[in-house]
Amino acid sequence: MIQFIIKSLMISVVFATIPPWIVGQEMVDQVATAINYQYTPRQGKQVPHFDFILPSIDGGKMIQLSNYRGKKVLLLHFASW
Amino acid sequence: MWNEKTKQLVADGKLVVIGVVQEQHAERARLYKQWKEYDFPIAQDATTSLGLTVVPVPILVDEHGYLLSARPRVDEMEQLVDVQRPVPRTPAPRLNPEQVTSTWLKSNVTHESAETKCCIGDALLREGTADSIKESLRYYNASMNQAIAEENEALKGLAAFRLGVAYRNLFDLVDASHKDPGCFSEAVKYWAMAIELNPNQYIWRRRIQQYGPRQIKPYPFYDWVGQATQEIMARGEIPVKLTIPLSGAEIAQPNANFETVISAEKNPDPDGRIASDLDRIIGIHVTVVPGKIVPGEAVRVHLRLDAENGHWNNEAEELLIWIDESKAGTRSSSRLEFSNAKKPSSDESRTLEFEFKTNDDVRDTIHLNGYALYNVCTVDDGQCLYRRQDFSIPIEIKSGK
């Protein structure tokens, strides 16, 4: 039982600091909302936050969203096909 | 459109644009970026790790890292970038780059959840070596098994799609020592499984259509590559080189009507008089897309011929594929040819494709028969030979329509 609690705590601590899924899921939810309900932002409303780190298509370096804090960022999700 | 409309806002320092491309082959996205003259950084999300199910989707994030608009319109951007928000009481999270590496994840995360295993698999896949991709397969498989045990269809779908991506990455490895042509079929199998689990995942669906028959294609996927290359060269630039060639399926136009071009030429070796390639100088590998169809549907057959124990002899007749007539359906072509390379001998993989539309009354698994005729020279003694290799292509049929 103690082992189970420790393990659960470890998982929650790790996931509190590794957002690829947690923050990703928030994004999914928001995007799904946008698509299904034509979401429009409401001023003053607390909205989700997220970060991601993904490889640049140019090779080598990684692109991290939070490196652009201090500026508004437009994320353009698209496909080249 | 977004690039043009936001240029001024970017120039004024009011906005940063970051592209996130849903693309397995980064070099294709690089060519697209060069063609369109995009001047913003573009990240690659090969495994749909951010969870998007459709594209294109713009998302606007404020200066504190909080979502400002999940789907802003172009005409409201000027207004949105001027929105002032107070500093939030809870700062938005910031990842430590080390935490998305496989080394860190493997040593710091307990491998208890299916998501965690996918996370480690993604990190390994990003590393891009043959060994790391193979290791990613182990994590994705473990994730899939756990999702099955927990009866979690959503997670099973996530793992299945990633398995498809990883297998296709292995198939595309340029290093011949890791060449495993069977990986393409595995990729198709897992992509089909993923879309079966989540039929509303538009990005996953496109992956099957990309390689599938013209009847199921919504549009040609990469027909822009030729135009892009010409326009880039006309600007005096050198276009990004695609090391992973486009398959015929990826540039074919959609066509709801199945077309067939049966050669006027007759079967070149009806009685099997050309000597068989008993030493397997050439390996023939087949991938059928989709992996399973209902009666009446079509498949696209990808044939890949590898010079495994010899070289192509380019000073003789060209490689020829003959597809036999079948009572189970109609072939798009009976005869396929591959032009010789412009040097005396070569070792490249040669791919040829055709489509087959099944009859409405087919059941179980049907077999399409054919053979290849080719000129090769052996590695050991350099002897040049004209050889035949027969093949049988299984096409699996789902029960019921």
Side-chain angles (χ1 to χ4, degrees), chain B residues 67-107:
Chain B
L67 185 77
L68 181 57
S69 173
R71 201 181 179 184
R73 294 192 315 272
V74 170
D75 61 6
E76 63 181 358
M77 283 302 293
E78 277 189 46
Q79 185 193 340
L80 285 170
V81 295
D82 285 333
V83 169
Q84 293 298 319
R85 282 173 148 177
V87 176
R89 270 185 289 181
T90 311
R94 185 187 288 270
L95 284 164
N96 179 341
E98 191 190 19
Q99 291 171 335
V100 293
T101 63
S102 65
T103 312
W104 189 93
L105 289 165
K106 283 195 280 187
S107 54

Side-chain angles (χ1 to χ4, degrees), chain A residues 21 41 47-48 51 57 75 80, chain B residues 23 30 59 66-68 95 119:
Chain A
W21 276 276
V47 289
D51 191 13
I57 60 165
L75 294 174
S80 43
Chain B
E23 170 62 78
R30 277 201 297 280
I59 293 175
Y66 276 70
L67 185 77
L68 181 57
L95 284 164
C119 180

Side-chain angles (χ1 to χ4, degrees), chain B residues 183-258:
Chain B
C183 288
F184 187 18
S185 290
E186 287 297 295
V188 171
K189 181 180 87 180
Y190 282 110
W191 285 332
M193 186 189 294
I195 196 64
E196 192 90 12
L197 288 159
N198 185 356
N200 297 310
Q201 230 295 7
Y202 160 101
I203 297 168
W204 298 355
R205 182 174 297 281
R206 291 288 182 263
R207 202 55 58 90
I208 293 285
Q209 292 166 336
Q210 181 175 337
Y211 297 106
R214 297 169 66 183
Q215 283 182 309
I216 65 168
K217 290 182 70 170
Y219 42 76
F221 283 69
Y222 292 96
D223 63 332
W224 57 266
V225 167
Q227 184 191 348
T229 304
Q230 283 180 0
E231 290 181 12
I232 291 166
M233 287 169 72
R235 296 200 300 246
E237 299 169 37
I238 299 169
V240 170
K241 190 180 174 213
L242 301 187
T243 55
I244 298 153
L246 293 163
S247 64
E250 292 177 290
I251 50 174
Q253 294 290 327
N255 190 348
N257 302 314
F258 187 81

Side-chain angles (χ1 to χ4, degrees), chain A residues 16 19 23 26 49-51 66 69, chain B residues 64-66 90-95:
Chain A
V23 295
E26 286 176 351
H49 42 63
F50 45 85
D51 191 13
S66 59
R69 293 268 160 84
Chain B
H64 310 298
Y66 276 70
T90 311
R94 185 187 288 270
L95 284 164

Side-chain angles (χ1 to χ4, degrees), chain A residues 11 17 19 21 41 43 47-49 51 55 57-58 64 66 69-70 72-78 80-81, chain B residues 16 18 20 22-23 30 33 42 44 52 56-57 59 61 63 66-68 81 83 93-95 99 119 224:
Chain A
I11 292 169
T17 54
W21 276 276
Q43 306 305 317
V47 289
H49 42 63
D51 191 13
I57 60 165
D58 295 317
Q64 179 164 7
S66 59
R69 293 268 160 84
K72 291 195 174 68
V73 179
L74 177 67
L75 294 174
L76 289 179
H77 294 270
F78 71 105
S80 43
W81 31 262
Chain B
V16 169
I18 299 175
V20 181
Q22 303 293 324
E23 170 62 78
R30 277 201 297 280
K33 179 185 178 188
I42 298 179
Q44 180 192 17
L52 289 188
V57 174
I59 293 175
V61 181
E63 44 276 85
Y66 276 70
L67 185 77
L68 181 57
V81 295
V83 169
R94 185 187 288 270
L95 284 164
Q99 291 171 335
C119 180
W224 57 266

Side-chain angles (χ1 to χ4, degrees), chain B residues 179 181 245 303-307 312 338 346-351:
Chain B
K179 201 181 272 184
L303 293 166
R304 173 163 146 172
L305 286 81
D306 291 331
W312 298 109
F338 192 99
S346 56
D347 301 317
E348 75 279 5
S349 293
R350 297 182 169 186
T351 57

Side-chain angles (χ1 to χ4, degrees), chain B residues 264-275:
Chain B
E265 292 183 45
K266 292 186 176 160
N267 185 336
D269 187 29
D271 303 321
R273 297 178 65 192
I274 309 294

Side-chain angles (χ1 to χ4, degrees), chain B residues 355-388:
Chain B
E355 295 183 4
F356 185 79
K357 186 177 184 304
T358 56
N359 293 334
D360 290 337
D361 58 353
V362 291
R363 298 283 177 272
D364 304 324
T365 300
I366 57 174
H367 290 268
L368 265 186
N369 297 320
Y371 60 87
L373 296 176
Y374 43 80
N375 284 281
V376 284
C377 301
T378 59
V379 175
D380 296 339
D381 53 12
Q383 193 180 16
C384 291
L385 308 162
Y386 188 48
R387 286 290 178 257
R388 166 178 172 141

